[in-house]
Amino acid sequence: MSGRAQLMWDEAVTGYDFGPDHPMDPVRLALTRSLVSAFGLDREMDVVSAKPAGESTLRLVHREDYVAAVKAASADPGGADGSYGLGTMDDPAFAGMHEASALIAGQSVGAAEAVWRGDALHAVNFSGGLHHAMPGGASGFCIYNDASLAIARLLELGAERVAYVDVDVHHGDGVQAAFWEDPRVLTISLHEHPRTLFPQTGWPEETGADSAQGSAVNVALPAGTGDAGWLRAFHSVVPEVLAEFRPQVLVTQHGADTHFEDPLAHLAVSLDAQRAVQVALHDLAHEHTEGRWIALGGGGYAVVDVVPRSWTHLVGIVAGREIAPETMIPEDWRQQVFARTRQLAPVRMTDGRWPVEWAGWEAGYDPADRLDQAVLAARKAVFPLRGLLP
């Protein structure tokens, strides 16, 4: 197995562009890629451009009629079929939409193939993580569900147990839906509570179909949850369930929209806590999957202050060259940011919260605490189904 990690990148992924007034500005991808380069991380990895996902690959998850609708909207955006979620405010149609979406999906599928075949131990596609797309429709800024497609490809290649961990602020509903009936796939999502945030799913009681009870795990966090609570919730659920499931490969989604600066959600997590979870997931991959790890991006709408730093930390961890939180950001990158966005870029790779402290579940819990209530709800719903004590 190659010791070098793979960075999946093709400049054309920045063509995934819903227009100038849409929150998902592709500048976040371009700025992340240039910050990765400014730190020299791309010299520590194999930078690979995989081919776009073709029709047969897309149909591992998506319905034939939906793929046809995306292609039609891509060729004629004005005629997008709203019954498939296309041409809406969240998912406006644009010329070349199918090609850009298939290219992003192809990078995640390529990452899965490289890791499963042993060409790379870890692979990262920060343009991916488009976890809301459903088998038959677009949703939540997501056209094709690259995370689901990567998992489906792993199963096609012979994987028997794939774990998916999603720490985006929004519930990973599309991935959960794709594998709702499949006990070979464990989906774990930590997200803001569906009472207060799109897509209004991800309740702890959602645990999988009768044929796959306990294969869906949902930790629904109260709005306002900060670093200590977020890390407590993660460590109180994820390691124990992964250990019981014994995955052969780990796929993770790292939406940066849990951050306190993100304009579309209500958690209060810092860059430093995001980095701590990235490190934890890397360590869990080495503990349970012999290091086989596919890391994806996701949401994140503070496109200058947060996303490039968060995902550059992720790339550094994937590459085996972690960036210390106190590291100064290269001045030439900061100048580039100002030239492109007229915004002042951050100065260091930290929010000043490192090291992040949190209390483990084994020390006991407070039944009156809203965060502990959320953790306990998830544990009570799923742990007994997996033979674990809640």
Side-chain angles (χ1 to χ4, degrees), residues 163 165 186-188 214-217 219 234-247 284 288 378-379 382-383 386 388:
V165 180
L186 172 71
T187 63
I188 307 175
S215 66
V217 183
V219 188
F234 177 92
H235 287 283
S236 300
V237 174
V238 177
E240 217 170 326
V241 178
L242 283 182
E244 186 279 330
F245 182 67
R246 298 181 300 113
L284 286 165
H288 298 299
R379 290 176 63 104
V382 171
F383 277 40
R386 304 212 63 90
L388 300 170

Side-chain angles (χ1 to χ4, degrees), residues 101-246:
S101 303
L103 183 63
I104 289 173
Q107 304 316 304
S108 294
V109 171
E113 291 171 346
V115 167
W116 185 253
R117 290 172 175 158
D119 297 336
L121 190 59
H122 310 327
V124 57
N125 173 27
F126 57 75
S127 71
L130 304 179
H131 60 166
H132 294 307
M134 292 290 173
S139 177
F141 313 164
C142 305
I143 306 300
Y144 293 140
N145 196 316
D146 63 285
S148 294
L149 289 163
I151 295 167
R153 182 70 177 124
L154 289 165
L155 297 175
E156 190 178 49
L157 290 171
E160 296 171 355
R161 292 180 308 283
V162 179
Y164 172 76
V165 180
D166 187 319
V167 296
D168 192 288
V169 78
H170 302 92
H171 177 226
D173 58 338
V175 186
Q176 176 178 288
F179 302 104
W180 184 249
E181 299 176 350
D182 195 335
R184 297 174 297 172
V185 180
L186 172 71
T187 63
I188 307 175
S189 179
L190 278 81
H191 47 266
E192 185 179 327
H193 201 285
R195 277 198 201 95
T196 54
L197 194 66
F198 174 90
Q200 280 79 52
T201 59
W203 298 79
E205 296 77 19
E206 296 170 31
T207 57
D210 289 346
S211 59
Q213 276 291 298
S215 66
V217 183
N218 288 291
V219 188
L221 302 170
T225 297
D227 289 358
W230 195 61
L231 287 167
R232 176 171 168 80
F234 177 92
H235 287 283
S236 300
V237 174
V238 177
E240 217 170 326
V241 178
L242 283 182
E244 186 279 330
F245 182 67
R246 298 181 300 113

Side-chain angles (χ1 to χ4, degrees), residues 300-311:
Y301 309 99
V303 298
V304 169
D305 279 359
V306 179
V307 176
R309 291 190 297 162
S310 186
W311 291 349

Side-chain angles (χ1 to χ4, degrees), residues 41-365:
L41 297 175
D42 47 359
R43 295 194 294 273
E44 310 281 331
M45 315 172 77
D46 295 325
V47 181
V48 176
S49 171
K51 66 182 189 298
E55 185 92 18
S56 62
T57 297
L58 292 172
R59 287 179 59 188
L60 290 173
V61 168
H62 293 291
R63 293 200 324 245
E64 183 178 9
D65 59 315
Y66 173 58
V67 175
V70 174
K71 287 182 174 179
S74 186
D76 176 19
D81 188 341
S83 69
Y84 290 101
L86 302 168
T88 62
M89 281 187 66
D90 273 4
D91 297 283
F94 59 91
M97 179 170 67
H98 165 75
E99 290 76 12
S101 303
L103 183 63
I104 289 173
Q107 304 316 304
S108 294
V109 171
E113 291 171 346
V115 167
W116 185 253
R117 290 172 175 158
D119 297 336
L121 190 59
H122 310 327
V124 57
N125 173 27
F126 57 75
S127 71
L130 304 179
H131 60 166
H132 294 307
M134 292 290 173
S139 177
F141 313 164
C142 305
I143 306 300
Y144 293 140
N145 196 316
D146 63 285
S148 294
L149 289 163
I151 295 167
R153 182 70 177 124
L154 289 165
L155 297 175
E156 190 178 49
L157 290 171
E160 296 171 355
R161 292 180 308 283
V162 179
Y164 172 76
V165 180
D166 187 319
V167 296
D168 192 288
V169 78
H170 302 92
H171 177 226
D173 58 338
V175 186
Q176 176 178 288
F179 302 104
W180 184 249
E181 299 176 350
D182 195 335
R184 297 174 297 172
V185 180
L186 172 71
T187 63
I188 307 175
S189 179
L190 278 81
H191 47 266
E192 185 179 327
H193 201 285
R195 277 198 201 95
T196 54
L197 194 66
F198 174 90
Q200 280 79 52
T201 59
W203 298 79
E205 296 77 19
E206 296 170 31
T207 57
D210 289 346
S211 59
Q213 276 291 298
S215 66
V217 183
N218 288 291
V219 188
L221 302 170
T225 297
D227 289 358
W230 195 61
L231 287 167
R232 176 171 168 80
F234 177 92
H235 287 283
S236 300
V237 174
V238 177
E240 217 170 326
V241 178
L242 283 182
E244 186 279 330
F245 182 67
R246 298 181 300 113
Q248 295 162 298
V249 59
L250 181 63
V251 180
T252 58
Q253 197 269 20
H254 298 268
D257 43 9
T258 50
H259 196 274
F260 55 77
E261 283 187 26
D262 197 272
L264 299 190
H266 320 98
L267 295 192
V269 173
S270 73
L271 184 76
D272 299 295
Q274 291 177 347
R275 181 186 184 279
V277 161
Q278 293 165 3
V279 170
L281 286 165
H282 168 265
D283 292 348
L284 286 165
H286 281 278
E287 186 176 342
H288 298 299
T289 67
E290 300 178 329
R292 286 186 288 267
W293 180 34
I294 297 126
L296 308 173
Y301 309 99
V303 298
V304 169
D305 279 359
V306 179
V307 176
R309 291 190 297 162
S310 186
W311 291 349
T312 297
H313 273 306
L314 177 65
V315 172
I317 292 160
V318 168
R321 215 194 91 192
E322 292 183 22
I323 298 172
E326 64 274 9
T327 304
M328 300 295 289
I329 291 174
E331 181 59 31
D332 58 348
W333 184 80
R334 299 183 69 247
Q335 291 175 4
Q336 180 193 139
V337 167
F338 187 75
R340 289 192 69 154
T341 69
R342 285 296 180 257
Q343 294 186 48
L344 294 176
V347 176
R348 293 190 300 157
M349 291 294 286
T350 180
D351 285 331
R353 308 256 183 108
W354 191 265
V356 183
E357 297 184 352
W358 50 276
W361 193 253
E362 62 281 354
Y365 62 89

